[in-house]
Amino acid sequence: MRPNEPLPPTSQATIGPFFPRTFFRTGDNDLTRVSAEAQPTARGETILLRGRVVREGGVSCLNMILEAWQADADGHFNHPLDPDRHLADPDFLGWGRAWTDAEGCYEFRTILPGGFADATGPRAPHINLTVMGAGLMRRVLTTVFFPDFAPANHADPVLALVPEAQRPRLLACPDGEADGIRVFRFDILLRGGPEEETPFFEE
Amino acid sequence: MPRDEVPDRFAPWPPGIEPEVPVPGYPNTWTHTPSQPLHRRPAGRTEATGPLALHRKLPCGDANLAQLAPGRIAIGQLMHLSGRILDEDGRPVRGAVVELWQANAAGRYFHPIDQRDAPLDPDFIGNGRVLTDEEGRYAFFTIKPGAYPVPVKETWWRPPHLHFSVIGPSSLSRLVTQMYFAGDPLNAYDRILNAVPDAAARDRLIARHLPPEEVGDRWLGFTHDIVLRGRHATPATP
Ligand SMILES: [Fe+3]
């Protein structure tokens, strides 16, 4: 092994239509638990993030794989690149995987993330989503923000890169409650016109 | 995992490596691929970090696809595949989750969506998940998959291939890719493989065959390394 010998990254390809159902387990879409058997974290407000993935023409996308990654309730990541890792919630995983049903619907159970500041600036609370599926040769990346944090959203350096008219499309919509838990809705239009397509970020 | 083991620099994809989209002759890509330019953003903490210790969430250790249970061997050419998961500095990615799925020897997936009129093998499910070791190594025991046609108007046959999903230590190092076999005549016609513009990048998607002197004569041997995005700002001292 020769460290620091630059290697070109391996090309990505579509996840295709046959990502195994047998890989899925109950609770994969639950970010609040570090394992299926673990107790959910006690920190933060538990929320449901629900939405529908559609393609051109508003047609439902079945069998899309979504993965979420986010900071804990206080804005920390349990990762060596977080300088405050020692403060990170040990009972919060921050990662989950969901898949869409025949109507294109997905759901994550998580907690409302906290904001933090890094080299890019003051980051508003957000959830990173990646979508993979048949027809997507490259995965798409988007970021969900919350209407609860208007001033923080206004100051967010990544949201600021998105044209103002498109920013509302990156805000989750409050959608009532389920079992006493607030529900947020975030629909994803993979392909549409400039007036409607979900804003996506370069990898 | 200490700080100096995880990449913290993420340059854009080098040219020619990413598949060019949408793909001519592959209709789904024309309805799913975003039409608007992607927004470029700096890689901050949220992109450089990612889930660690995922083996608790995603149980790993399922490395033998060829034998479902004692005495139940899948039909097909038995093969052993091993390789390493590396970052762009060539450093091993330890503890990465590697998921593999593939068609059976007749080119059919064990999946409710695959209703093609080709036989299912009762002894082959065709997927497994492992965790890389200290050297970034993974290994699977499986069978060589068959080719299958893509049900579109201008159909083509997908050459034998394995699907890989790799979850590394950063959200930007997440990778879904496919691995191919050298010398298959269908490789030249595959719209998915050939969507990668750079010939050298396509070559790197093809597994290296290991001769029987190295792996014995009981199964075909292949090795295939996968490089995830990410470099280290501070070079490691050897
Ligand atoms: Fe396939």
Side-chain angles (χ1 to χ4, degrees):
Chain A
M1 185 189 68
R2 282 181 293 175
N4 275 42
E5 180 87 353
L7 295 175
T10 302
S11 306
Q12 61 170 324
T14 177
I15 204 167
F18 304 128
F19 187 74
R21 295 265 165 98
T22 42
F23 275 161
F24 299 138
R25 295 206 315 166
T26 308
D28 281 357
N29 61 342
D30 184 351
L31 284 71
T32 70
R33 297 167 198 264
V34 295
S35 74
E37 298 75 30
Q39 286 299 309
T41 177
R43 300 190 204 172
E45 178 193 348
T46 303
I47 60 166
L48 294 177
L49 181 68
R50 285 178 181 162
R52 196 169 155 243
V53 181
V54 298
R55 61 171 166 85
E56 195 174 62
V59 180
S60 302
C61 294
L62 156 77
N63 224 21
M64 304 302 275
I65 312 297
L66 290 92
E67 289 173 0
W69 172 244
Q70 66 166 78
D72 69 16
D74 296 316
H76 301 307
F77 295 97
N78 187 7
H79 189 281
L81 291 182
D82 190 326
D84 292 324
R85 182 187 189 180
H86 59 287
L87 300 174
D89 180 352
D91 297 319
F92 182 68
L93 183 64
W95 184 91
R97 178 188 278 166
W99 54 95
T100 59
D101 62 16
E103 278 74 53
C105 295
Y106 72 90
E107 178 181 292
F108 286 106
R109 185 186 183 89
T110 187
I111 50 113
L112 200 59
F116 57 89
D118 67 4
T120 66
R123 297 303 317 272
H126 63 273
I127 302 178
N128 302 294
L129 284 186
T130 181
V131 185
M132 298 163 279
L136 282 176
M137 283 293 289
R138 308 172 174 188
R139 65 184 184 136
V140 296
L141 306 176
T142 192
T143 301
V144 185
F145 294 86
F146 294 88
D148 303 39
F149 308 104
N153 290 341
H154 191 71
D156 186 90
V158 170
L159 201 52
L161 297 172
V162 177
E164 198 166 359
Q166 297 181 19
R167 287 177 207 158
R169 287 179 229 161
L170 293 180
L171 285 185
C173 298
D175 192 22
E177 289 192 355
D179 301 324
I181 295 171
R182 279 205 290 166
V183 178
F184 288 91
R185 192 170 174 86
F186 188 80
D187 292 336
I188 296 172
L189 175 59
L190 293 174
R191 187 184 180 90
E195 302 306 317
E196 49 176 2
E197 190 174 292
T198 300
F200 296 108
F201 294 96
E202 235 180 63
E203 281 206 69
Chain B
M1 193 176 278
R3 189 186 167 100
D4 62 4
E5 285 193 12
V6 294
D8 53 4
R9 279 171 53 201
F10 294 89
W13 283 90
I17 290 181
E18 281 265 81
E20 222 153 70
V21 289
V23 182
Y26 185 3
N28 266 349
T29 63
W30 293 84
T31 52
H32 290 65
T33 306
S35 67
Q36 300 302 302
L38 303 176
H39 300 289
R40 178 170 280 184
R41 63 180 167 187
R45 194 178 299 160
T46 187
E47 287 82 23
T49 57
L52 303 175
L54 255 196
H55 58 279
R56 292 185 64 191
K57 191 75 165 180
L58 305 174
C60 296
D62 207 356
N64 191 345
L65 285 64
Q67 184 171 319
L68 198 57
R72 293 184 63 184
I73 308 289
I75 293 170
Q77 291 176 286
L78 294 176
M79 63 173 262
H80 185 266
L81 168 69
S82 63
R84 294 203 301 159
I85 309 294
L86 305 166
D87 65 23
E88 289 181 77
D89 282 329
R91 307 215 290 190
V93 181
R94 305 180 168 97
V97 173
V98 180
E99 297 174 309
L100 176 144
W101 68 104
Q102 63 170 94
N104 68 19
R108 179 150 173 206
Y109 286 87
F110 179 84
H111 193 291
I113 284 181
D114 192 352
Q115 292 295 322
R116 189 166 75 91
D117 188 17
L120 280 170
D121 177 353
D123 294 328
F124 191 69
I125 303 296
N127 57 68
R129 183 192 286 140
V130 298
L131 208 61
T132 57
D133 68 11
E134 283 300 298
E135 273 77 51
R137 205 164 283 285
Y138 73 88
F140 290 99
F141 189 49
T142 183
I143 51 123
K144 191 173 172 185
Y148 60 87
V150 180
V152 296
K153 192 155 160 264
E154 293 171 78
T155 190
W156 82 94
W157 280 70
R158 297 238 47 220
H161 62 275
L162 306 187
H163 293 264
F164 278 92
S165 150
V166 186
I167 308 174
S170 314
S171 42
L172 279 181
S173 60
R174 176 83 176 94
L175 180 71
V176 173
T177 184
Q178 300 184 19
M179 182 202 100
Y180 301 84
F181 295 87
D184 195 291
L186 294 170
N187 287 345
Y189 305 97
D190 185 40
R191 298 195 195 282
I192 292 179
L193 171 58
N194 291 291
V196 173
D198 181 57
R202 290 197 299 276
D203 276 348
R204 291 192 298 268
L205 299 176
I206 294 174
R208 193 161 62 84
H209 172 67
L210 297 175
E213 303 86 76
E214 284 184 48
V215 290
D217 58 3
R218 295 175 60 201
W219 40 73
L220 295 167
F222 292 94
T223 179
H224 186 61
D225 291 346
I226 291 175
V227 181
L228 306 184
R229 288 177 68 213
R231 300 199 64 186
H232 299 70
T234 318
T237 40

